[in-house]
Amino acid sequence: MKRIYILVLALALVFGMSFNAQAKKRYVFGGGPAGGTFQIVANAIQVFGPIKNNPNFSIKAQSSGGSTENLRTVNAGRCAFGTVYAGEVYLGRNGKLTGDPNKYENVLTVGYLYGAPAQLVIRKGSGIKSTLDLAGKKVGVGNAGSGAFANCERFFTHLGIWDKIERNAMGYNDAAQAFGNEQLDAFWLLTAYPSGAVIMAAQTNDIDLVDVGADAEKSGYFKAYPYFGKLTIPAGTYRGVDHDTPSFFDSALLVANADVPAEDVYQLLKAIWSEAGLKHMVEQKKTFKAMSVADGLKGVNPEATPLHPGAVKFWKEMGVLK
């Protein structure tokens, strides 16, 4: 009888442990290509203590092509969370992505991370003063499937230059390396500054930045795409670039699939937007100084890009959402 009791107890422990292991959900977080801030977001959230030790779920960072790919994978449920540009969230929800009429309505906004400005890197003394001067040039246009690529195509098409350049789809670090080897005349980024890839390029080349802000202003780009904001990349951000460079930016948003339980989204927000969580994010990259409770929904229009119920609960609790 004693042996039977011990056996039953052992089986109960085994099955109990198995049940507990299965009870903890693992959510995939769509990051981005190497050298980009999107991947740093995913990695930072994955390793943060209160997330790692959460009894209900864990986060697994997964590299990706970037914003557009994350939009699709989060919508399909292959990723529970991801970073997507506000422009892609809005255009995707309304079936207005370039060459893609599908509506991505399962992607819900969770919070604002930072503003990602357009950066167009050239060699100093190249004679390239405007984006329009790239006709006939070899240009790195961002990784296929990324928000950088989609925005480069959108901006260059608006200017009438997209079909006049030799396009090279590649990630930021690869583009910086190709630029350093003189295989590219210029390369495009849509990411927070300072970018590690641009810093890399500046170590081996005398670089400059194109005033894409002026090109956008003159061409009516801000009227055509009103979700973009204006900013200036300060002089001295990169070695040798001693002048302010006007640009435009899209907002990088944390998003979630609509089927992720509201409580799990709430718990993730509560951890990351805590004092310790925000400190942890800034330790990973200074870009995340833009993150705060007060700016948790900066530039977010809940009617245009609806919030996840878990985000609604958190931001109401924080007094950000009425």
Side-chain angles (χ1 to χ4, degrees):
M1 189 69 182
K2 186 176 180 181
R3 289 180 180 177
I4 294 173
Y5 174 76
I6 293 172
L7 179 60
V8 170
L9 181 61
L11 287 171
L13 287 171
V14 169
F15 283 110
M17 289 171 63
S18 176
F19 175 77
N20 289 334
Q22 291 172 4
K24 185 163 180 173
K25 292 160 284 191
R26 188 178 80 159
Y27 292 130
V28 176
F29 193 117
T37 308
F38 278 20
Q39 189 60 35
I40 297 175
V41 172
N43 292 340
I45 291 176
Q46 173 184 258
V47 302
F48 184 48
I51 296 294
K52 285 178 66 177
N53 299 325
N54 187 289
N56 300 316
F57 66 85
S58 63
I59 296 292
K60 172 63 177 175
Q62 179 174 288
S63 62
S64 80
S67 180
T68 309
E69 182 179 327
N70 290 345
L71 178 77
R72 292 175 175 138
T73 55
V74 171
N75 187 77
R78 294 197 297 275
C79 288
F81 296 95
T83 306
V84 181
Y85 289 121
E88 254 70 50
V89 176
Y90 172 77
L91 294 171
R93 187 169 191 83
N94 292 283
K96 294 182 178 180
L97 286 173
T98 303
D100 183 359
N102 293 310
K103 292 188 176 183
Y104 297 92
E105 297 177 327
N106 292 328
V107 179
L108 299 178
T109 301
V110 172
Y112 168 85
L113 296 170
Y114 60 90
Q119 301 174 61
L120 185 54
V121 183
I122 56 171
R123 288 183 187 81
K124 193 165 286 187
S126 65
I128 299 171
K129 303 296 183 184
S130 162
T131 310
L132 296 173
D133 296 329
L134 293 176
K137 305 293 187 183
K138 299 175 182 177
V139 184
V141 295
N143 208 57
S146 69
F149 182 97
N151 276 284
C152 186
E153 181 180 13
R154 193 171 297 127
F155 182 54
F156 282 34
T157 298
H158 178 82
L159 295 176
I161 195 77
W162 182 250
D163 292 327
K164 297 178 182 178
I165 63 171
E166 185 177 321
R167 302 188 294 267
N168 293 264
M170 56 179 66
Y172 297 152
N173 284 355
D174 289 341
Q177 186 172 357
F179 181 82
N181 294 334
E182 299 190 357
Q183 296 170 311
L184 294 176
D185 298 299
F187 67 101
W188 162 278
L189 309 89
L190 191 82
T191 190
Y193 65 82
S195 160
V198 181
I199 292 172
M200 184 194 312
Q203 289 173 347
T204 54
N205 295 265
D206 291 329
I207 70 161
D208 209 343
L209 296 176
V210 173
D211 184 347
V212 294
D215 291 337
E217 198 75 64
K218 291 175 186 175
S219 66
Y221 195 61
F222 294 116
K223 291 181 180 178
Y225 300 97
Y227 53 80
F228 284 112
K230 302 176 185 180
L231 58 65
T232 296
I233 299 172
T237 297
Y238 300 114
R239 186 179 72 86
V241 184
D242 55 3
H243 57 84
D244 291 345
T245 307
S247 183
F248 54 88
F249 73 94
D250 201 351
S251 297
L253 302 180
L254 174 59
V255 300
N257 179 273
D259 291 334
V260 178
E263 184 60 24
D264 291 349
V265 172
Y266 171 80
Q267 289 296 332
L268 183 140
L269 278 165
K270 194 171 182 180
I272 298 302
W273 266 268
S274 66
E275 184 177 346
L278 293 172
K279 181 175 181 289
H280 166 76
M281 294 301 290
V282 173
E283 287 171 351
Q284 310 310 303
K285 190 170 184 178
K286 292 180 180 178
T287 299
F288 303 130
K289 285 182 178 180
M291 292 175 63
S292 69
V293 170
D295 286 338
L297 294 177
K298 182 179 178 180
V300 173
N301 181 346
E303 292 183 5
T305 54
L307 298 176
H308 193 285
V312 172
K313 177 183 176 181
F314 178 77
W315 294 117
K316 279 187 174 181
E317 188 176 283
M318 294 295 103
V320 174
L321 197 64
K322 304 303 180 185

